Amino acid sequence: MLIPHPSGSYQFLQGIDPYSCGVVAEAGYEIVHATLARHLPWREGCDRVTSYLQRLGLERSALCAMELRSPAPFSLQGFIDFNNEYCALLKSWDLYVGDLNPLARTNVAPAHHPPEVPSLHAFSYVIPHRDIQRPTLIVAGAGELREGVLDSAGIIRPGDTSPAAIHEKAAHVMQVMCDRLQALGGEWNLINDVDIYTVHPLDEILGQVILPAIGPARARGTRWIYSRPPVIDIEFEMDLHGVVTDKVI
């Protein structure tokens, strides 16, 4: 069920404490995606987000999604500990809706030239756009973890990186993307970025799992971002962007 953000001009899908499952702008508003020209340590990056939104005359509540890069995959407890710090900052910004975190998020660990500390890579925010003719949305990153579970028992085939296991993991993640997109009221023709995060070969997975599922988004291709998901034993992650304005700042 979509939940309205009372002051952010967007709606979100409930996820777990560190992030929502996705966001979609309300009618008359647009989600803008902004990538930093260089990564910043995540707290410094959050300060940059605040100052950037202020220059645009926007409140922090316009922030609707974050994309982080980590030095390496966390242990599950390490990931929980990091999330506690991250969520505490968002709560101090008064961004939660009741007990729910409305911000979508992707957090991955680049396999080459990773940052030295967890860092901000990109963010998305909502602006008024009275004449926009289509929805804009972000589907949060998801790995092969059963929805609503942040526990090693929820990982699909943990520790197994055989081709059959990676195929099963990818199929699970692809279904999560489809389900979240549908729940946001979106369709594949709205998606301009299909991002895949893994260090495992994609040739058969693209042809058998990804491309058959994404329909008209095939015309825009997919992006393989050679990275590992944020938790040890998770091997395959995806996210989706359906935006009109995509900038580098």
Side-chain angles (χ1 to χ4, degrees):
M1 182 177 66
L2 284 172
I3 301 169
H5 191 293
S7 58
S9 302
Y10 67 91
Q11 297 175 298
F12 66 96
L13 288 175
Q14 181 177 346
I16 56 178
D17 199 43
Y19 39 79
S20 72
C21 290
V23 293
V24 59
E26 293 181 350
Y29 291 85
E30 175 191 356
I31 292 176
V32 175
H33 182 259
T35 302
L36 274 62
R38 65 180 183 88
H39 294 164
L40 293 174
W42 75 273
R43 287 186 178 274
E44 184 180 342
C46 288
D47 291 339
R48 174 76 189 280
V49 170
T50 296
S51 62
Y52 182 80
L53 294 177
Q54 287 175 341
R55 287 199 301 274
L56 296 179
L58 299 171
E59 301 293 331
R60 280 175 171 156
S61 59
L63 180 66
C64 66
M66 300 282 265
E67 294 171 49
L68 305 178
R69 298 293 185 260
S70 296
F74 293 91
S75 68
L76 189 61
Q77 186 58 53
F79 190 57
I80 291 170
D81 292 343
F82 172 78
N83 287 333
N84 287 339
E85 292 185 50
Y86 171 80
C87 293
L89 177 64
L90 298 186
K91 289 175 181 177
S92 75
W93 285 2
D94 198 28
L95 294 184
Y96 270 49
V97 177
D99 295 329
L100 301 179
N101 183 348
L103 271 66
R105 196 179 86 185
T106 296
N107 185 357
V108 295
H112 289 284
H113 302 94
E116 295 182 358
V117 297
S119 298
L120 182 67
H121 168 71
F123 63 99
S124 299
Y125 59 94
V126 181
I127 61 170
H129 188 161
R130 185 182 303 275
D131 297 325
I132 194 164
Q133 299 297 310
R134 48 153 286 172
T136 49
L137 55 92
I138 302 287
V139 175
E144 71 274 15
L145 192 68
R146 293 179 178 88
E147 283 281 60
V149 177
L150 188 52
D151 186 287
S152 57
I155 299 174
I156 307 296
R157 296 178 71 162
D160 188 347
T161 58
S162 65
I166 298 301
H167 189 282
E168 184 176 338
K169 292 169 184 283
H172 175 85
V173 173
M174 188 69 253
Q175 187 59 55
V176 172
M177 293 294 102
C178 291
D179 292 345
R180 290 181 177 183
L181 179 61
Q182 181 179 31
L184 288 166
E187 299 178 352
W188 284 105
N189 66 324
L190 298 174
I191 299 302
N192 55 293
D193 280 331
V194 177
D195 295 327
I196 302 168
Y197 307 93
T198 189
V199 296
H200 299 284
L202 281 181
D203 45 0
E204 291 186 1
I205 288 171
L206 276 174
Q208 296 175 12
V209 178
I210 307 297
L211 295 177
I214 65 176
R218 288 192 295 265
R220 301 182 180 91
T222 62
R223 296 197 300 187
W224 181 7
I225 301 171
Y226 196 65
S227 299
R228 293 180 171 89
V231 176
I232 294 169
D233 283 338
I234 299 180
E235 303 290 344
F236 195 93
E237 182 161 338
M238 292 178 67
D239 64 22
L240 309 173
H241 301 161
V243 299
V244 175
T245 306
D246 200 337
K247 58 177 63 177
V248 177
I249 62 170

